[in-house]
Amino acid sequence: MDRVIIVGGGLAGVRVAEALRARGHEGALTLVGAEPHRPYDRPPLSKAVLMGRTDDTTVDADWSGLRCELLLGHRATGLRLEDERGGAVETTAGELPFDGLVIATGASPIRLPGDGPQDVLRTIDDARALRDGFREGARVTLVGAGWIGAEVATAAARAGCAVTVVEAADTPLEGAVGPEIGACTAPWYGEAGVELRCGVRVAAVESGGLALAGGEWIDADEVVVGVGVRPEVGWLAGSGLDLDDGVVVDASLRTSRPEIVAVGDCAAWWSARYGRRLRVEHWDTALNAPEVAAAALLGEESTYDPVPYFWSEQFGRMVQYAGHHQDAERLVMRGDPGKAGWAACWLSGTRLEAIVTVNRPRDLVQARRIMTAGTAVDPDAVADPEVPIRNAVRT
Ligand SMILES: Cc1cc2nc3c(=O)[nH]c(=O)nc-3n(C[C@H](O)[C@H](O)[C@H](O)COP(=O)(O)OP(=O)(O)OC[C@H]3O[C@@H](n4cnc5c(N)ncnc54)[C@H](O)[C@@H]3O)c2cc1C
């Protein structure tokens, strides 16, 4: 390939650049990124950056060694494909012809109706601005008790703000881990001095606060909205590429055009493991899928089909999740959710489908290995927190 363009300057973008060079791509390489910053890690934004422990999360990359041209602060606005192969990316820096294209444009936060100021947390600039607004006594209202909402609430409470979290579902994290496990995390809010209000819908964000669907009003100095993200694929509309909740790609992360791959938060890939398309907004995917995307672009055979993994640090706890529980037959608790450390496993028969752990990293590591291998487990042993999960494997 003579000229590869990477669109998107997040973790997935930089990792693809590295993987392409490591696999012997000698042609030109250009990365176009809408943000003015070099690629950086996002997970610390809602943790160490908000807490003031660090201000810089730039990914360590040898840009000159990579021979990768960086067009930062420039945005792709459209894609024009030639009939057979290749085409051009339309950008704010002009048209960039390519014979290989990597789509790594991530996802963008969903905003709520209303013309009052609402903050979101996606970029390092968002994180710095939020941190500056978290002053002792400030009334901070968060909309959404998902992963990001819980982490932002943790930081705001630590900064001495008066924090209220408003959630439309009946429990926190309901969309991510279901109502039973979500309910186990609800007491954490009160313990941290955060008011949690579930089953409450927001009508609009207005100047000075939130208008709720029932007519009630909540005063707020800062409104932070964490109600999820959408894949950032608007610039691909009309290009001919298949878009369906992200860029549709196969098990090798190729689009319908072999010279175009998509990776990271914006890619919906085919998982043979789960027999469905997955789009996973997790750091682990942005870190590891680029190897496969680069291989696919260079015409090598490789597939991406991991057990998805995610972690979150909230209210002084390390919460980790691996697997995919949506089709599981039952949920088995592993320990007492009232205690400092516990876990829960989703099972179908003797198959371990997913696990969530709270302060039990070993359980996570062992369960992830079992799920990757697809080994059968003894459900009674899984339910016993005294038995290491690896010993629950049926021989
Ligand atoms: C605050 C926060 C905390 C998180 N915490 C965790 C965590 O604890 N654990 C975990 O597993 N995951 C976490 N995540 C998720 C994880 O960070 C993402 O899955 C990961 O960043 C995805 O990387 P990406 O490169 O695919 O996309 P992104 O990081 O979104 O990067 C995409 C880049 O492309 C740019 N772009 C978009 N459109 C265009 C365009 N048209 N032209 C040019 N550039 C464009 C964007 O500006 C962006 O810089 C967190 C995310 C956030 C925001």
Side-chain angles (χ1 to χ4, degrees):
M1 275 179 173
D2 292 331
R3 187 171 169 82
V4 173
I5 306 289
I6 300 170
V7 185
L11 181 64
V14 53
R15 289 295 175 232
V16 177
E18 290 175 338
L20 282 168
R21 288 298 188 214
R23 287 174 176 272
H25 170 63
E26 283 299 328
L29 192 54
T30 300
L31 183 146
V32 189
E35 292 182 67
H37 311 289
R38 290 191 171 196
Y40 57 87
D41 269 325
R42 293 185 204 277
L45 301 184
S46 48
K47 308 172 183 72
V49 175
L50 277 194
M51 304 268 195
R53 292 201 303 263
T54 183
D55 200 43
D56 182 4
T57 68
T58 308
V59 174
D60 190 17
D62 174 10
W63 289 103
S64 56
L66 284 174
R67 288 170 290 126
C68 181
E69 179 191 19
L70 284 176
L71 292 178
L72 300 178
H74 286 287
R75 176 171 282 281
T77 52
L79 173 65
R80 189 170 46 72
L81 297 179
E82 304 290 348
D83 285 346
E84 291 292 313
R85 232 177 143 84
V89 180
E90 292 153 13
T91 80
T92 50
E95 210 173 73
L96 304 175
F98 67 85
D99 56 9
L101 174 65
V102 180
I103 300 169
T105 40
S108 298
I110 297 168
R111 289 172 189 270
L112 293 177
D115 46 23
Q118 48 181 298
D119 296 324
V120 293
L121 176 51
R122 184 74 193 177
T123 68
I124 184 118
D125 298 321
D126 295 337
R128 289 172 182 153
L130 269 185
R131 187 184 59 199
D132 293 347
F134 288 171
R135 297 174 316 275
E136 179 94 35
R139 294 162 307 171
V140 174
T141 299
L142 280 145
V143 186
W147 300 117
I148 299 276
E151 293 189 349
V152 176
T154 303
R158 283 226 184 131
C161 304
V163 187
T164 304
V165 177
V166 174
E167 166 60 51
D170 292 332
T171 73
L173 292 178
E174 194 173 303
V177 291
E180 297 93 334
I181 299 302
C184 299
T185 74
W188 302 349
Y189 289 73
E191 286 163 20
V194 173
E195 185 188 5
L196 172 66
R197 298 185 56 185
C198 289
V200 174
R201 290 199 161 271
V202 172
V205 183
E206 293 174 8
S207 177
L210 276 184
L212 303 184
E216 200 188 330
W217 172 260
I218 298 181
D219 278 327
D221 300 315
E222 299 253 358
V223 174
V224 188
V225 176
V227 295
V229 294
R230 285 201 191 93
E232 186 60 56
V233 294
W235 65 282
L236 295 166
S239 65
L241 292 184
D242 196 1
L243 304 176
D244 183 6
D245 184 34
V247 183
V248 174
V249 288
D250 65 12
S252 301
L253 307 177
R254 284 190 190 101
T255 64
S256 52
R257 302 268 296 218
E259 80 282 21
I260 306 180
V261 295
V263 66
D265 279 14
C266 69
W269 78 88
W270 177 256
S271 164
R273 179 186 297 279
Y274 297 109
R276 63 170 66 193
R277 211 165 282 293
L278 293 182
R279 193 176 64 75
V280 174
E281 298 153 2
H282 296 171
W283 182 88
D284 189 66
T285 308
L287 181 75
N288 292 312
E291 271 300 330
V292 173
L297 204 61
L298 298 177
E300 298 163 29
E301 272 323 307
S302 179
T303 55
Y304 184 66
D305 204 7
V307 170
Y309 164 70
F310 177 87
W311 83 98
S312 168
E313 293 160 38
Q314 43 184 280
F315 306 111
R317 294 163 174 89
M318 171 60 96
V319 183
Q320 293 169 289
Y321 175 92
H324 184 75
H325 67 271
Q326 278 70 8
D327 301 326
E329 289 168 2
R330 67 194 179 106
L331 177 63
V332 174
M333 294 309 293
R334 185 172 157 79
D336 176 357
K339 298 249 169 77
W342 54 276
C345 295
W346 286 267
L347 295 167
S348 294
T350 58
R351 183 186 154 92
L352 185 57
E353 304 271 19
I355 185 167
V356 62
T357 64
V358 177
N359 295 336
R360 287 184 68 108
R362 266 197 207 124
D363 278 4
L364 192 287
V365 171
Q366 293 174 12
R368 198 175 173 198
R369 270 194 210 124
I370 291 170
M371 288 186 274
T372 302
T375 340
V377 292
D378 172 358
D380 291 336
V382 165
D384 185 346
E386 301 303 323
V387 177
I389 290 226
R390 63 166 182 269
N391 293 355
V393 167
R394 282 199 168 157
T395 46

